[in-house]
């Protein structure tokens, strides 16, 4: 339960920032720079909480991987929407690639611990 609360804090903070800045809870309708600010705030907060959990000697759980998957899915949805609307999506692609690399690092540690 502690993990879920710690991992959901950055999501709540990002949604509060989204509401105070753009008066919406739907980040997909935002234009490029607004969405990138929201997405980077969400990702940095989430990975900071994951590093905080790992400093408490907590292992990476399935809940962490689900949160990572949902954050990545949000980026993919916005990427598809940007491609369909013929908008430039280069920065979002770079952020998604970086997120894939970080997620693979976390997953490799998770599966190594699971195998042992």
């Amino acid at each position: 339960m502690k993990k879920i609360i710690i991992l959901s804090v950055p999501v709540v903070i990002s949604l509060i920032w989204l509401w105070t800045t753009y008066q919406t809870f739907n980040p997909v309708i935002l234009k490029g720079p607004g969405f990138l600010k929201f997405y980077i705030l969400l990702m940095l907060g989430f990975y900071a909480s994951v590093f905080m959990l790992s400093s408490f000697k907590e292992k990476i759980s399935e809940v962490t991987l689900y949160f990572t998957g949902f954050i990545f899915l949000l980026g993919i949805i916005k990427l598809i929407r940007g491609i369909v609307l013929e908008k430039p999506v280069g920065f979002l692609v770079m952020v998604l690639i970086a997120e894939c690399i970080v997620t693979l690092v976390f997953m490799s540690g998770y599966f190594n611990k699971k195998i042992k």
Side-chain angles (χ1 to χ4, degrees), residues 43-78:
M43 277 189 2
L44 291 178
F46 175 75
Y47 288 122
S49 66
V50 169
F51 287 129
M52 186 175 66
L53 280 175
S54 65
S55 70
F56 292 146
K57 304 290 190 247
E58 296 283 336
K59 65 179 184 175
I60 303 294
S61 64
E62 291 179 8
V63 173
T64 308
L65 296 178
Y66 291 143
F67 270 94
T68 305
F70 287 131
I71 292 171
F72 185 73
L73 183 64
L74 176 65
I76 292 296
I77 290 170
K78 185 63 178 180

Side-chain angles (χ1 to χ4, degrees), residues 63-106:
V63 173
T64 308
L65 296 178
Y66 291 143
F67 270 94
T68 305
F70 287 131
I71 292 171
F72 185 73
L73 183 64
L74 176 65
I76 292 296
I77 290 170
K78 185 63 178 180
L79 177 71
I80 291 170
R81 186 169 188 263
I83 290 172
V84 168
L85 295 175
E86 297 178 356
K87 301 289 183 179
V89 291
F91 287 117
L92 183 57
V93 170
M94 290 187 291
V95 169
L96 288 173
I97 290 171
E99 185 179 1
C100 283
I101 292 169
V102 172
T103 303
L104 288 175
V105 169
F106 283 130

Side-chain angles (χ1 to χ4, degrees), residues 8-72:
S8 63
V9 167
V11 175
V12 171
I13 290 172
S14 298
L15 288 174
I16 289 171
W17 176 84
L18 187 65
W19 177 256
T20 58
T21 307
Y22 296 103
Q23 285 75 37
T24 184
F25 284 119
N26 186 2
V28 177
I29 63 169
L30 295 177
K31 294 193 184 272
F35 178 78
L36 284 175
K37 288 176 189 175
F38 165 77
Y39 197 68
I40 290 175
L41 178 69
L42 178 65
M43 277 189 2
L44 291 178
F46 175 75
Y47 288 122
S49 66
V50 169
F51 287 129
M52 186 175 66
L53 280 175
S54 65
S55 70
F56 292 146
K57 304 290 190 247
E58 296 283 336
K59 65 179 184 175
I60 303 294
S61 64
E62 291 179 8
V63 173
T64 308
L65 296 178
Y66 291 143
F67 270 94
T68 305
F70 287 131
I71 292 171
F72 185 73

